[in-house]
PDB file of all heavy atoms in Angstrom:
ATOM      1  N   ARG A  50      -1.852   0.836  13.198  1.00  0.00           N
ATOM      2  CA  ARG A  50      -2.307  -0.142  14.164  1.00  0.00           C
ATOM      3  C   ARG A  50      -2.037   0.122  15.591  1.00  0.00           C
ATOM      4  O   ARG A  50      -2.346  -0.578  16.488  1.00  0.00           O
ATOM      5  CB  ARG A  50      -1.654  -1.501  13.870  1.00  0.00           C
ATOM      6  CG  ARG A  50      -2.150  -1.932  12.383  1.00  0.00           C
ATOM      7  CD  ARG A  50      -1.320  -3.364  12.027  1.00  0.00           C
ATOM      8  NE  ARG A  50      -1.800  -3.798  10.799  1.00  0.00           N
ATOM      9  CZ  ARG A  50      -1.098  -4.746  10.093  1.00  0.00           C
ATOM     10  NH1 ARG A  50      -0.168  -5.233  10.664  1.00  0.00           N
ATOM     11  NH2 ARG A  50      -1.704  -5.181   8.866  1.00  0.00           N
ATOM     12  N   GLY A  51      -1.386   1.219  15.920  1.00  0.00           N
ATOM     13  CA  GLY A  51      -1.024   1.640  17.323  1.00  0.00           C
ATOM     14  C   GLY A  51      -1.688   2.809  17.826  1.00  0.00           C
ATOM     15  O   GLY A  51      -2.375   3.583  17.086  1.00  0.00           O
ATOM     16  N   ASP A  52      -1.768   3.035  19.119  1.00  0.00           N
ATOM     17  CA  ASP A  52      -2.360   4.176  19.774  1.00  0.00           C
ATOM     18  C   ASP A  52      -1.662   5.476  19.222  1.00  0.00           C
ATOM     19  O   ASP A  52      -0.380   5.490  18.978  1.00  0.00           O
ATOM     20  CB  ASP A  52      -2.121   4.170  21.235  1.00  0.00           C
ATOM     21  CG  ASP A  52      -3.043   2.959  21.867  1.00  0.00           C
ATOM     22  OD1 ASP A  52      -4.116   2.588  21.261  1.00  0.00           O
ATOM     23  OD2 ASP A  52      -2.845   2.504  23.011  1.00  0.00           O
ATOM     24  N   PHE A  53      -2.361   6.464  19.037  1.00  0.00           N
ATOM     25  CA  PHE A  53      -1.984   7.759  18.626  1.00  0.00           C
ATOM     26  C   PHE A  53      -1.209   7.645  17.181  1.00  0.00           C
ATOM     27  O   PHE A  53      -0.394   8.461  16.834  1.00  0.00           O
ATOM     28  CB  PHE A  53      -0.944   8.368  19.622  1.00  0.00           C
ATOM     29  CG  PHE A  53      -1.547   8.516  20.918  1.00  0.00           C
ATOM     30  CD1 PHE A  53      -1.079   7.560  21.949  1.00  0.00           C
ATOM     31  CD2 PHE A  53      -2.552   9.374  21.309  1.00  0.00           C
ATOM     32  CE1 PHE A  53      -1.620   7.705  23.256  1.00  0.00           C
ATOM     33  CE2 PHE A  53      -3.213   9.306  22.536  1.00  0.00           C
ATOM     34  CZ  PHE A  53      -2.602   8.519  23.488  1.00  0.00           C
ATOM     35  N   ALA A  54      -1.565   6.539  16.512  1.00  0.00           N
ATOM     36  CA  ALA A  54      -0.935   6.400  15.076  1.00  0.00           C
ATOM     37  C   ALA A  54      -1.339   7.586  14.165  1.00  0.00           C
ATOM     38  O   ALA A  54      -0.469   8.041  13.356  1.00  0.00           O
ATOM     39  CB  ALA A  54      -1.544   5.158  14.545  1.00  0.00           C
ATOM     40  N   HIS A  55      -2.434   8.200  14.353  1.00  0.00           N
ATOM     41  CA  HIS A  55      -2.816   9.384  13.444  1.00  0.00           C
ATOM     42  C   HIS A  55      -1.827  10.501  13.724  1.00  0.00           C
ATOM     43  O   HIS A  55      -1.520  11.402  12.799  1.00  0.00           O
ATOM     44  CB  HIS A  55      -4.217   9.862  13.750  1.00  0.00           C
ATOM     45  CG  HIS A  55      -4.450  10.351  14.996  1.00  0.00           C
ATOM     46  ND1 HIS A  55      -4.485   9.527  16.259  1.00  0.00           N
ATOM     47  CD2 HIS A  55      -4.686  11.710  15.474  1.00  0.00           C
ATOM     48  CE1 HIS A  55      -4.754  10.294  17.266  1.00  0.00           C
ATOM     49  NE2 HIS A  55      -4.851  11.641  16.900  1.00  0.00           N
ATOM     50  N   GLU A  56      -1.234  10.671  14.977  1.00  0.00           N
ATOM     51  CA  GLU A  56      -0.301  11.697  15.218  1.00  0.00           C
ATOM     52  C   GLU A  56       0.990  11.520  14.399  1.00  0.00           C
ATOM     53  O   GLU A  56       1.485  12.550  13.929  1.00  0.00           O
ATOM     54  CB  GLU A  56      -0.088  11.959  16.698  1.00  0.00           C
ATOM     55  CG  GLU A  56      -1.308  12.317  17.481  1.00  0.00           C
ATOM     56  CD  GLU A  56      -1.045  12.408  18.994  1.00  0.00           C
ATOM     57  OE1 GLU A  56       0.099  12.246  19.434  1.00  0.00           O
ATOM     58  OE2 GLU A  56      -2.080  12.727  19.767  1.00  0.00           O
ATOM     59  N   VAL A  57       1.413  10.301  14.434  1.00  0.00           N
ATOM     60  CA  VAL A  57       2.555   9.994  13.658  1.00  0.00           C
ATOM     61  C   VAL A  57       2.503  10.109  12.265  1.00  0.00           C
ATOM     62  O   VAL A  57       3.259  10.697  11.410  1.00  0.00           O
ATOM     63  CB  VAL A  57       2.981   8.400  14.022  1.00  0.00           C
ATOM     64  CG1 VAL A  57       4.340   8.106  13.083  1.00  0.00           C
ATOM     65  CG2 VAL A  57       3.361   8.232  15.460  1.00  0.00           C
ATOM     66  N   PHE A  58       1.166   9.731  11.711  1.00  0.00           N
ATOM     67  CA  PHE A  58       1.039   9.899  10.328  1.00  0.00           C
ATOM     68  C   PHE A  58       0.957  11.267   9.885  1.00  0.00           C
ATOM     69  O   PHE A  58       1.410  11.672   8.906  1.00  0.00           O
ATOM     70  CB  PHE A  58      -0.458   9.211   9.969  1.00  0.00           C
ATOM     71  CG  PHE A  58      -0.768   9.274   8.535  1.00  0.00           C
ATOM     72  CD1 PHE A  58      -0.248   8.452   7.655  1.00  0.00           C
ATOM     73  CD2 PHE A  58      -1.584  10.226   8.013  1.00  0.00           C
ATOM     74  CE1 PHE A  58      -0.454   8.528   6.211  1.00  0.00           C
ATOM     75  CE2 PHE A  58      -1.923  10.308   6.709  1.00  0.00           C
ATOM     76  CZ  PHE A  58      -1.444   9.418   5.827  1.00  0.00           C
ATOM     77  N   GLY A  59       0.347  12.276  10.762  1.00  0.00           N
ATOM     78  CA  GLY A  59       0.238  13.580  10.334  1.00  0.00           C
ATOM     79  C   GLY A  59       1.703  14.162  10.273  1.00  0.00           C
ATOM     80  O   GLY A  59       1.831  14.949   9.362  1.00  0.00           O
TER      81      GLY A  59
END
Side-chain angles (χ1 to χ4, degrees):
R50 295 176 180 170
D52 292 339
F53 308 108
H55 66 287
E56 295 180 3
V57 180
F58 180 79

